[in-house]
Amino acid sequence: MSGGWAGRGARGRVAVAVVAALALVSCTGPGRDDDGFRAGSADLADPYVPGSGNGGYDVAHYRLAVRYDPANDRLAGRAEVTATATHGLSRFNLDLAGLDVSSVAVNGVPAEYRHADGELVVTPGSGLATGSRFTVEVVYAGVPEAVTDGVLGGGGFQHTEDGAIALGQPHSAATWFPVNDHPSDKATYDIEVTVPDGLAALSNGVPGERTSADGWTTWRWAERSPMASYLTTLVIGDYRVDTGSHGGKPLVTAVPSGLPATGPEARSLARTGEIADFLAGRFGPYPFEAYGGVVVADTRIGYALETQSRPVYGPGFFRQGEPNYGVVVHELAHQWFGNSVALAGWRDIWLNEGFASYAEWMWAEHDGGTTAQRNFELQYAATDWSRRTLDPGVGQMFSTAVYKRGALTVHALRRTVGDDAFFEILRAWTTERRDGTATTADFVALAERVSGRSLGSFFDAWLTNTTPPALP
Ligand code: TRP
Ligand code: ZN
């Protein structure tokens, strides 16, 4: 579903206009056949992720069934992708990094395909009309490859000592299934993972039935809220899985089985429900059908990631031997900011990280620690204002200019409009944009509407200008 991207965002409207212009041009140009079908574009022109995402269709659902054998690191998969053509399609692309494709069918009919350089190009036997719903079934296998693009140490599908972890931002999904790999095309998922008996296989959403046959166990997961592809995860290995519930929804947590139930990892995850409720009190109702969290042991996972409904936490956060609630607050805050309301493009990454970082300040104050105002003052004094927060450049996506200057912006907004308008803005945002995508321009417009103030120069000063903004 690309709802907000094509229909709502300011950038979306520009993109629609550009596509319309291209369509006019290509009426007489090459690449368009007599029936009005043309090739879907091979990327979405997001400069932060060249080559990622594809045009010409909008995915509604992925049905994935993968089998992974840690003994030889081989993955065998079957993906059924249900999508709607957004223009007449003679062919279209899916992103798939590595792996060998053995068959592709469109609407049950074998299709021609070519797979090279991370693009699976599918040519159906006949064109797909604008607005038509179609399914693509891809059968594939191989040894998955990790991503080594240098943005925060890479990601993707990584073989571990006891299994594997698929995780990463902005790249991960295409290393284990064919996907429209851009956050602007959200979709729901059914994920089935088959692993040798005795290993756990965790993923996103609500747990389904678990079945075993011939030494293999199949774990089933359903994510029924639209999810950006980088928020998918697979964690396979030797884990102690705890399946409970919170507020009537399933809560699934897991820690490596070597770690004690009373250790800092398990104790941190144990407050997941309570912390989600704290955030719901400020942001509005928790947006998904399940809760959870997974702590992994592999030290190559140097970060945590807000994978939908079930964040993954690297081991480094718990190295001090004490629980780390701040990181749980951060990843759970993303369930509202980044996941339920997702990015139309990566230039707006501060909409994720600024709010998740600000949530840590609110929690610290609630927990009797440093107040948000004090954190704001300390961070203001420490900030290098030469680095911009909005559209920071790909190398700065996960920098303090995004996280900390982003949090400063959020607190400055609160000081400027007052607490009542501020929390009304947050709730209006999470309600109106729920399950969609959005841009900074959308946020500014909403903040102006709710507060009744003109905030253009405020946001320029806090997000973009390279001199210190006046204190609010
Ligand atoms: N978005 C994550 C956070 O703020 C951090 C992150 C960025 C990350 N890139 C990643 C985590 C790649 C894992 C892999 O918590
Ligand atoms: Zn974050």
Side-chain angles (χ1 to χ4, degrees):
M1 302 181 195
S2 72
W5 192 76
R8 290 187 213 157
R11 268 162 54 81
R13 281 189 291 276
V14 173
V16 168
V18 170
V19 169
L22 287 173
L24 286 174
V25 169
S26 60
C27 279
T28 51
R32 180 173 178 135
D33 68 25
D34 293 343
D35 297 319
F37 300 119
R38 59 195 165 91
S41 68
D43 82 5
L44 285 169
D46 183 333
Y48 286 71
V49 286
S52 283
N54 306 284
Y57 63 91
D58 178 357
V59 178
H61 188 72
Y62 293 91
R63 196 155 70 88
L64 309 176
V66 299
R67 171 186 290 248
Y68 180 70
D69 188 352
N72 58 16
D73 199 16
R74 275 185 69 82
L75 179 99
R78 180 182 289 269
E80 188 189 279
V81 184
T82 306
T84 300
T86 54
H87 63 69
L89 282 172
S90 55
R91 61 165 201 262
F92 60 87
N93 287 28
L94 287 159
D95 300 307
L96 182 66
L99 302 169
D100 302 309
V101 174
S102 57
S103 79
V104 178
V106 176
N107 293 330
V109 180
E112 271 178 48
Y113 63 91
R114 188 161 43 81
H115 183 208
D117 305 320
E119 298 287 337
L120 175 63
V121 186
V122 178
T123 307
S126 51
L128 302 166
T130 309
S132 63
R133 186 100 156 164
F134 62 98
T135 63
V136 192
E137 192 178 274
V138 181
V139 180
Y140 58 99
V143 175
E145 291 164 18
V147 177
T148 50
D149 67 359
V151 182
L152 266 197
F157 194 101
Q158 303 180 61
H159 191 31
T160 63
E161 220 170 276
D162 56 336
I165 301 170
L167 183 74
Q169 184 185 17
H171 297 296
S172 169
T175 65
W176 65 280
F177 64 95
V179 56
N180 192 15
D181 205 1
H182 192 270
S184 58
D185 191 1
K186 298 168 82 175
T188 54
Y189 287 73
D190 280 297
I191 302 171
E192 223 179 82
V193 196
T194 302
V195 294
D197 285 347
L199 292 186
L202 297 138
S203 188
N204 310 88
V206 175
E209 208 197 342
R210 205 183 300 169
T211 52
S212 289
D214 308 321
W216 294 80
T217 302
T218 299
W219 296 61
R220 295 180 177 83
W221 303 93
E223 179 52 68
R224 300 190 188 113
S225 304
M227 171 163 70
S229 54
Y230 77 95
L231 297 170
T232 56
T233 187
L234 270 189
V235 178
I236 297 168
D238 203 357
Y239 287 83
R240 195 147 31 74
V241 180
D242 190 333
T243 305
S245 71
H246 178 76
K249 296 175 177 181
L251 184 153
V252 181
T253 59
V255 297
S257 44
L259 298 177
T262 52
E265 298 85 0
R267 286 169 61 202
S268 300
L269 291 185
R271 289 181 78 180
T272 292
E274 176 199 346
I275 291 171
D277 290 349
F278 164 79
L279 295 170
R282 276 123 189 107
F283 298 161
Y286 181 75
F288 301 129
E289 289 185 17
Y291 295 93
V294 180
V295 177
V296 298
D298 197 299
T299 53
R300 286 174 303 171
I301 307 300
Y303 293 84
L305 188 61
E306 61 266 26
T307 44
Q308 192 151 309
S309 81
R310 194 154 296 117
V312 173
Y313 303 92
F317 293 101
F318 313 100
R319 219 172 269 144
Q320 310 301 324
E322 292 300 318
N324 186 333
Y325 302 117
V327 71
V328 176
V329 171
H330 182 105
E331 304 313 331
L332 292 181
H334 277 307
Q335 305 308 311
W336 289 260
F337 291 91
N339 297 10
S340 179
V341 187
L343 300 177
W346 290 108
R347 69 195 292 277
D348 292 319
I349 180 80
W350 83 275
L351 286 172
N352 295 7
E353 303 306 344
F355 286 91
S357 301
Y358 190 64
E360 294 180 65
W361 293 0
M362 291 199 293
W363 172 263
E365 179 168 323
H366 161 82
D367 206 33
T370 311
T371 63
Q373 176 62 24
R374 182 72 187 132
N375 262 320
F376 172 81
E377 287 160 7
L378 292 170
Q379 190 58 48
Y380 183 94
T383 294
D384 171 0
W385 299 99
S386 74
R387 300 192 176 276
R388 48 187 287 149
T389 301
L390 173 61
D391 199 5
V394 66
Q396 302 292 313
M397 274 176 85
F398 302 108
S399 66
T400 56
V402 171
Y403 284 67
K404 304 291 189 179
R405 191 171 162 181
L408 287 172
T409 302
V410 175
H411 190 74
L413 175 66
R414 181 174 176 179
R415 297 273 306 177
T416 299
V417 302
D419 275 17
D420 289 352
F422 174 73
F423 287 106
E424 209 183 312
I425 289 166
L426 300 192
R427 282 162 179 275
W429 183 248
T430 61
T431 305
E432 293 174 22
R433 298 284 167 172
R434 183 173 180 172
D435 291 338
T437 59
T439 64
T440 297
D442 295 328
F443 185 76
V444 174
L446 182 140
E448 290 187 329
R449 193 192 80 217
V450 172
S451 69
R453 289 165 181 256
S454 163
L455 294 167
S457 55
F458 167 88
F459 281 106
D460 285 346
W462 286 89
L463 294 176
T464 306
N465 293 353
T466 53
T467 51
L471 281 166

